[in-house]
Amino acid sequence: MYSFPDRGGRELTLRPEGTAPVCRAYVEHGMFKLTKPVKLWYYAPMFRYERPQAGRYREHYQFGAEALGSDDPLVDAEVIAMLGQIYDELEIGDLTLAVNSMGDAECRPAYTELLRDFLAVHADELCGECRERTVLNPLRTFDCKVESCRAVLAGAPHLVDHLCDPCRRHFDTVLELLRKVGLDPVLDFRLVRGLDYYTRTTFEYQSNSLGFAQSTIGGGGRYDGLVELIGGPPTPGFGFGSGLERVTLVSGLEEQEDEGPLAYVVTFTEEARADAFALTQHLRRELLIDAECDLVARSAKAQLKQAGRSGAELAVLVGLDDVAAGEVRVRDLDNGDEEDVAVDELGDWFDDWLDDDGLDGHGHHHGNGNGNPLGGNGGGEAS
Ligand SMILES: [Zn+2]
Ligand SMILES: [Zn+2]
């Protein structure tokens, strides 16, 4: 964790993950009174103090969701399937869905003893850390990356084979539901979490692309003991967290190019600068048109050049002598077509233009505001 003393000597730790804070909020704000399950989500920066590597940073963003108040296996399956759907929509291919069950307070203690005995027999094949874990938290030995430890643990008794009947039924139902919606869960006995509040289902989506060996891009599980641990009423919970940086690395989506504004407002006289500014604000705020104007006092000619360079499709010319009062001249920067349009009618004009142009995929939309930003300030008309 990212821990340090602040200037007042207080020991601080930056938030390492999202589930515990969500559970704390659930308790603090009395959400246990709401209809269950309570479904919550977050997208927030998280911190960890470790050597940064590809897709892993000390500050990173995580999105996650938690469903609180039901231990029904449908909740497990729904959350797992939802994360799979999110990854599908982000065009992440070559994913493995790994799952495991942690059991519960009924069956895990006996299994933990069994594992401890097994590890004690193999102590000289384990790394120093795992020998310590054997005593303190034997389940954590499954996390070890040391080859000899991994070899030992492959032959260890696995929790999923030692579940009590209710845990077994719960896990089987989760697996069945996942298969029913076309997912292909693969049992991974290494998917264990060392803390007591984790129960039953754990899962991870692992990506095999981009040269990461089975890198996890998101995962989570059931934590039926956590809310109570934090001081709330006994409340089962299930959720996931997913690191955005890793997801971005494996996503098949193209990076979106900056398309530039739709309209560039060009000023032809010094006096019309304020009008051009007001018109740009009007386009943005009332018509929701992506618009820019000159901010460095360029000549009209240089502004037109800048309009083209910015990627704008239209130039709105303000302050021309031969344009009637209350109107502006709109130039299509693709073909040079020009049309004089009353400022009052710009909203409809942009509507028609976007329809005809068929470029609405561009993402420009505008509202119904039709006020005249050039009116009411005396001498504001283009003349
Ligand atoms: Zn080890
Ligand atoms: Zn059990």
Side-chain angles (χ1 to χ4, degrees):
M1 290 198 286
Y2 208 127
S3 303
F4 56 92
D6 74 357
R7 291 189 192 188
R10 286 165 292 210
E11 285 298 325
L12 302 184
T13 294
L14 300 180
R15 176 178 54 205
E17 58 94 38
T19 301
V22 166
C23 288
R24 195 171 298 114
Y26 177 85
V27 173
E28 187 177 332
H29 299 287
M31 286 188 255
F32 40 83
K33 291 176 209 136
L34 303 173
T35 307
K36 293 177 175 63
V38 177
K39 295 176 171 182
L40 303 168
W41 71 280
Y42 59 85
Y43 169 55
M46 307 291 170
F47 302 83
R48 60 191 158 208
Y49 196 84
E50 60 178 284
R51 197 169 54 82
Q53 43 178 296
R56 286 176 77 82
Y57 307 102
R58 285 180 172 170
E59 177 179 9
H60 64 287
Y61 280 81
Q62 238 180 57
F63 62 96
E66 316 289 347
L68 293 134
S70 170
D71 64 0
D72 194 313
L74 266 80
V75 170
D76 307 40
E78 182 177 68
V79 173
I80 295 171
M82 178 178 74
L83 185 56
Q85 188 184 344
I86 290 171
Y87 291 151
D88 277 350
E89 288 178 22
L90 293 170
E91 296 179 16
I92 297 171
D94 204 9
L95 279 182
T96 301
L97 169 58
V99 294
N100 195 17
S101 175
M102 300 282 307
D104 61 3
E106 205 57 51
C107 50
R108 194 164 55 211
Y111 166 77
T112 306
E113 280 315 308
L114 197 65
L115 178 63
R116 189 173 276 139
D117 292 346
F118 173 87
L119 293 171
V121 171
H122 293 268
D124 20 333
E125 298 156 67
L126 297 173
C127 71
E129 215 173 326
C130 282
R131 279 200 293 273
E132 272 176 40
R133 288 165 172 163
T134 300
V135 182
L136 300 173
N137 194 345
L139 284 170
R140 290 290 311 278
T141 54
F142 285 106
D143 290 339
C144 188
K145 302 281 184 280
V146 175
E147 207 45 61
S148 61
C149 296
R150 289 176 75 87
V152 169
L153 285 153
H158 296 150
L159 181 39
V160 75
D161 300 320
H162 295 268
L163 299 175
C164 63
D165 286 343
C167 285
R168 183 75 247 173
R169 274 198 302 277
H170 192 276
F171 191 47
D172 286 343
T173 308
V174 172
L175 293 175
E176 182 193 326
L177 291 167
L178 292 173
R179 292 190 186 111
K180 204 173 173 72
V181 294
L183 291 163
D184 180 22
V186 177
L187 192 65
D188 183 346
F189 65 84
R190 293 184 193 278
L191 266 188
V192 293
R193 289 163 183 246
L195 299 169
D196 281 344
Y197 56 77
Y198 289 113
T199 50
R200 297 187 167 170
T201 316
T202 54
F203 77 101
E204 278 183 7
Y205 280 97
Q206 297 159 352
S207 165
N208 306 310
S209 52
L210 282 186
F212 290 108
Q214 293 264 311
S215 75
T216 302
I217 58 168
R222 185 160 276 293
Y223 46 87
D224 290 350
L226 181 55
V227 172
E228 199 175 359
L229 188 75
I230 284 174
T235 306
F238 190 95
F240 75 82
S242 182
L244 197 71
E245 288 79 4
R246 284 221 154 170
V247 166
T248 307
L249 275 179
V250 294
S251 165
L253 297 181
E254 298 287 318
E255 198 172 325
Q256 288 206 333
E257 280 182 39
D258 185 0
E259 292 167 317
L262 174 61
Y264 195 101
V265 179
V266 174
T267 324
F268 275 78
T269 62
E270 183 60 29
E271 301 73 55
R273 274 197 106 206
D275 292 340
F277 172 75
L279 179 65
T280 307
Q281 294 289 314
H282 174 69
L283 292 174
R284 290 178 184 170
R285 296 169 65 138
E286 304 301 327
L287 307 186
L288 305 185
I289 297 284
D290 188 354
E292 289 289 343
C293 66
D294 171 58
L295 298 173
V296 290
R298 291 184 179 91
S299 69
K301 196 177 155 195
Q303 288 178 59
L304 275 168
K305 200 181 255 180
Q306 183 57 30
R309 215 181 277 144
S310 73
E313 294 176 49
L314 298 166
V316 180
L317 315 182
V318 178
L320 285 172
D321 285 343
D322 58 339
V323 174
E327 295 189 353
V328 290
R329 181 162 294 163
V330 186
R331 179 186 295 175
D332 188 322
L333 289 169
D334 270 343
N335 55 24
D337 285 354
E338 290 188 335
E339 193 178 336
D340 290 0
V341 183
V343 170
D344 287 342
E345 285 159 16
L346 272 176
D348 291 335
W349 190 91
F350 272 102
D351 261 348
D352 291 344
W353 188 84
L354 287 168
D355 283 348
D356 292 350
D357 202 60
L359 287 177
D360 219 349
H362 203 81
H364 298 284
H365 304 283
H366 64 77
N368 299 318
N370 255 337
N372 182 350
L374 303 189
N377 61 355
E381 320 302 57
S383 57

